[in-house]
Amino acid sequence: MAASYTILFFLLCSLSTAFCAASDSSSACRTAAQEVIIRIWVNGTEGENIQGLGALFGGTLPVHEKEGIRLPAIIPQPVDCCSNLSSELSGSIAVCQRGVCDFSTKAEVAQSGGASGMLVINSEADGLPVMDCPHTKTLNISIPSVVVTKSDGEVLSKALAGGSSVELLLYAPVRPVLDMSVLFLWFMAVGTVTCASLWKGLTVCDKIEGSYSQLSQKESSETDEDDEEVVEINVMSAVVFVITASTFLLLLYYFMSSWFVWLLIVLFCIGGIQGMHNCVVSLVLSKWRNLGKRKVNVPVFGNVSIFSLIVLVCCFAFTVFWAAHRKASYSWIGQDILGIFLIITVLQLAQLPNIKVATVLLCCAFLYDIFWVFLSPEIFGNSVMIAVAEGDNSGGESIPMLLRVPRFFDPFGGYNMIGFGDLVFPGLLVAFSLRYDNEKKKGLANGYFLWLIAGYGLGLLFTYLALYLMNGQGQPALLYLVPCTLGTIVILGWVRGELKDLWNYNVEDQSPTNNSSGRSSTDKVDGVSETNDIEVQSPLSM
């Protein structure tokens, strides 16, 4: 069960690794386009704001909303604004369709018709093209021009075509250099990886009562509830992952639809329930073991711990509430809670045996992330990873396999996000470093764990710095995280003369650390590694 559960989670992680003065009359070309907020009123009732991108020519928009002017919107004739208009546009904003002529020609035609501004609806796939300033002709454009996405523009066009009175107010606020959500997300990601690595130590206290029985006695012993299969990743599985994940990503890219995203949401909910239940039960029972001793007979499942059953019901209710309100402004809180518990659970079920396997896995993930973000547009005409993460053609649904935090102080709103894969893959290496330090009885100073946590945090900082320097273009986080984590342990191991041991490390070759029954903490049974002092349980195992 753990193997299939973990493999499915890794595939889902791969999706997400995953990501805007009053108008002047200057006709000079600008070097950067203004990001624009458009407030909309339909028949006097305010609707949802949309966003657009200003042209590199013509007038500029005010920075503050109170300096903007509320003007009526009109669809001119012809609708592409490429020839003389028959409509009277005085004191209004011309809503033009993207047509055969260039943007500057549209603006000149709209201005000659008396328009105070122009809104262009993109006719191609959702996106905001840059309305360039042509250098082959002299411009005399004073009105501001803004382009909006096809989906937003269709809403406007439908309202105008239906005879509704539509008014618009355009302004271009300045984004803050650093939004606090970036720091919040950084602490959340680093904290999750740290907590997942330390989870075994947090839940083992006061947990071991009496002795563990041998494998032959497990079926009749209560202590079999404390045993859970651990998936040990090998070189072959690391390579197979990249091939399988790439295939799955392409399927999502070509066949993305609302039902497909709904399938992912259901899988996320199932994993979230499992992860939350495992973490809550193991943490509580590590302190109050007696809570798990009272049982009730449940059909099909047999004797089940009452405490475990209550926790399961609460986890189910929490997850259903999140799914029902997943589009609410506060839904990110529930999504992050479920995601964190899921990541912690997976990092208990999967582990790296040494840095040889870690090198193969992380290098494959490194190349996978770079290819599908930066190189895939050369082949597919679009960044496959970003298109899938943004939920193109998903009917308004979004893939939940990521942690996200709203941009609290950004007037344009939106979220800062990090995919599950950007936590899980480096997290596997961080967890290995802690196991190695414990086995070798290393302290924080002369160990590897603290250095890898610092490397992970530094890699995230580099990711957000690159995101800022590249004007918000989606970044493959593993491009920065892999060198800062794998590079750290390799360099430290080489400096300390322990690289060979780290490379070929195998816990079975070390001196066993016996528990109270004399059985080593990690045993191999039929080729499967089992860890007995981790309590990672299925929902009805207690």
Side-chain angles (χ1 to χ4, degrees):
M1 174 183 174
S4 58
Y5 176 78
T6 306
I7 291 170
L8 176 61
F9 179 82
F10 271 51
L11 286 176
L12 297 180
C13 283
S14 69
L15 305 181
S16 55
T17 63
F19 154 41
C20 273
S23 298
D24 61 33
S25 59
S26 171
S27 61
C29 295
R30 291 186 288 274
T31 57
Q34 288 182 296
E35 293 180 272
V36 180
I37 292 178
I38 304 166
R39 294 185 62 187
I40 304 172
W41 290 266
V42 179
N43 294 328
T45 302
E46 186 170 5
E48 187 175 346
N49 294 350
I50 62 175
Q51 297 178 18
L53 190 66
L56 296 180
F57 53 81
T60 59
L61 289 165
V63 172
H64 303 289
E65 179 184 351
K66 61 183 180 181
E67 297 172 352
I69 301 175
R70 184 168 159 179
L71 298 172
I74 296 177
I75 297 179
Q77 293 297 329
V79 294
D80 60 8
C81 300
C82 288
S83 58
N84 292 332
L85 304 178
S86 59
S87 308
E88 176 56 44
L89 302 177
S90 179
S92 65
I93 296 176
V95 180
C96 306
Q97 293 287 341
R98 185 175 181 179
V100 294
C101 60
D102 59 44
F103 293 115
S104 60
T105 300
K106 294 178 185 293
E108 289 174 333
V109 171
Q111 180 174 278
S112 66
S116 298
M118 180 182 70
L119 198 70
V120 178
I121 299 174
N122 190 17
S123 59
E124 301 178 359
D126 267 10
L128 294 174
V130 176
M131 293 194 284
D132 291 319
C133 184
H135 297 281
T136 57
K137 63 180 181 179
T138 302
L139 297 180
N140 186 23
I141 301 173
S142 60
I143 64 171
S145 301
V146 178
V147 63
V148 297
T149 63
K150 180 180 180 181
S151 56
D152 287 338
E154 286 175 346
V155 175
L156 277 178
S157 297
K158 190 175 295 185
L160 288 167
S164 300
S165 171
V166 178
E167 295 177 299
L168 307 176
L169 188 150
L170 284 62
Y171 65 105
V174 179
R175 285 186 183 272
V177 175
L178 176 66
D179 192 271
M180 292 301 295
S181 63
V182 172
L183 296 178
F184 191 88
L185 187 61
W186 184 89
F187 280 109
M188 186 190 299
V190 174
T192 299
V193 171
T194 303
C195 186
S197 302
L198 295 171
W199 192 258
K200 177 180 174 181
L202 294 174
T203 58
V204 75
C205 181
D206 299 331
K207 203 167 111 172
I208 303 177
E209 292 182 0
S211 61
Y212 284 100
S213 60
Q214 298 298 322
L215 181 65
S216 60
Q217 299 173 316
K218 283 185 181 179
E219 293 182 359
S220 60
S221 172
E222 258 188 6
T223 57
D224 70 329
E225 298 168 352
D226 296 335
D227 292 308
E228 183 70 29
E229 179 185 1
V230 174
V231 178
E232 189 171 275
I233 301 170
N234 55 39
V235 172
M236 181 58 67
S237 62
V239 176
V240 170
F241 157 75
V242 176
I243 299 173
T244 307
S246 296
T247 303
F248 193 58
L249 190 65
L250 280 176
L251 288 175
L252 280 173
Y253 180 70
Y254 283 113
F255 302 105
M256 175 73 76
S257 60
S258 58
W259 72 264
F260 208 150
V261 178
W262 255 108
L263 175 62
L264 297 178
I265 292 173
V266 171
L267 293 175
F268 172 74
C269 289
I270 294 172
I273 293 172
Q274 175 85 8
M276 179 180 285
H277 178 273
N278 288 343
C279 292
V280 172
V281 169
S282 62
L283 185 60
V284 172
L285 292 187
S286 68
K287 309 303 178 185
W288 298 281
R289 184 70 174 179
N290 290 334
L291 287 176
K293 292 184 177 179
R294 299 189 62 180
K295 305 201 174 194
V296 64
N297 194 336
V298 177
V300 179
F301 297 101
N303 286 332
V304 177
S305 163
I306 295 177
F307 172 71
S308 179
L309 190 60
I310 292 173
V311 173
L312 178 62
V313 172
C314 292
C315 294
F316 182 82
F318 181 90
T319 306
V320 170
F321 179 85
W322 170 82
H325 299 82
R326 67 193 181 282
K327 293 186 178 181
S329 60
Y330 54 81
S331 65
W332 64 274
I333 300 174
Q335 180 173 323
D336 289 351
I337 290 173
L338 292 172
I340 288 171
F341 281 131
L342 181 55
I343 290 168
I344 290 174
T345 299
V346 168
L347 288 178
Q348 308 310 304
L349 297 177
Q351 66 182 30
L352 295 169
N354 48 52
I355 67 168
K356 176 173 66 177
V357 176
T359 300
V360 175
L361 176 65
L362 291 179
C363 286
C364 286
F366 175 83
L367 297 174
Y368 166 90
D369 225 16
I370 293 174
F371 177 81
W372 290 113
V373 174
F374 285 156
L375 302 181
S376 58
E378 301 298 324
I379 301 174
F380 302 95
N382 199 0
S383 176
V384 174
M385 182 78 76
I386 293 176
V388 171
E390 292 179 346
D392 290 0
N393 304 318
S394 63
E397 299 290 350
S398 58
I399 295 175
M401 284 75 181
L402 44 81
L403 302 182
R404 59 185 181 130
V405 179
R407 300 188 184 111
F408 301 110
F409 303 105
D410 191 331
F412 292 89
Y415 292 85
N416 284 310
M417 301 173 288
I418 183 170
F420 285 175
D422 301 326
L423 284 85
V424 170
F425 295 119
L428 288 168
L429 182 58
V430 174
F432 164 76
S433 70
L434 182 62
R435 292 198 309 273
Y436 183 86
D437 288 351
N438 290 339
E439 184 67 31
K440 299 296 184 179
K441 297 184 170 45
K442 291 178 174 289
L444 286 178
N446 66 341
Y448 294 92
F449 174 70
L450 186 61
W451 289 96
L452 261 68
I453 287 293
Y456 181 80
L458 184 63
L460 274 185
L461 289 178
F462 286 151
T463 303
Y464 293 125
L465 178 61
L467 193 67
Y468 171 74
L469 294 176
M470 298 182 70
N471 297 318
Q473 180 182 348
Q475 295 294 306
L478 293 178
L479 171 63
Y480 311 96
L481 292 172
V482 170
C484 288
T485 51
L486 183 60
T488 296
I489 195 170
V490 168
I491 292 173
L492 273 179
W494 177 72
V495 171
R496 295 172 177 178
E498 298 175 331
L499 183 57
K500 184 176 181 181
D501 185 42
L502 286 165
W503 187 263
N504 299 304
Y505 181 75
N506 189 335
V507 71
E508 289 189 334
D509 297 334
Q510 314 302 315
S511 298
T513 302
N514 295 332
N515 57 22
S516 58
S517 67
R519 180 178 173 182
S520 63
S521 60
T522 303
D523 292 335
K524 278 277 188 175
V525 181
D526 296 332
V528 178
S529 173
E530 292 190 338
T531 303
N532 293 324
D533 53 358
I534 293 180
E535 183 162 342
V536 181
Q537 304 154 329
S538 60
L540 293 176
S541 65
M542 289 301 300

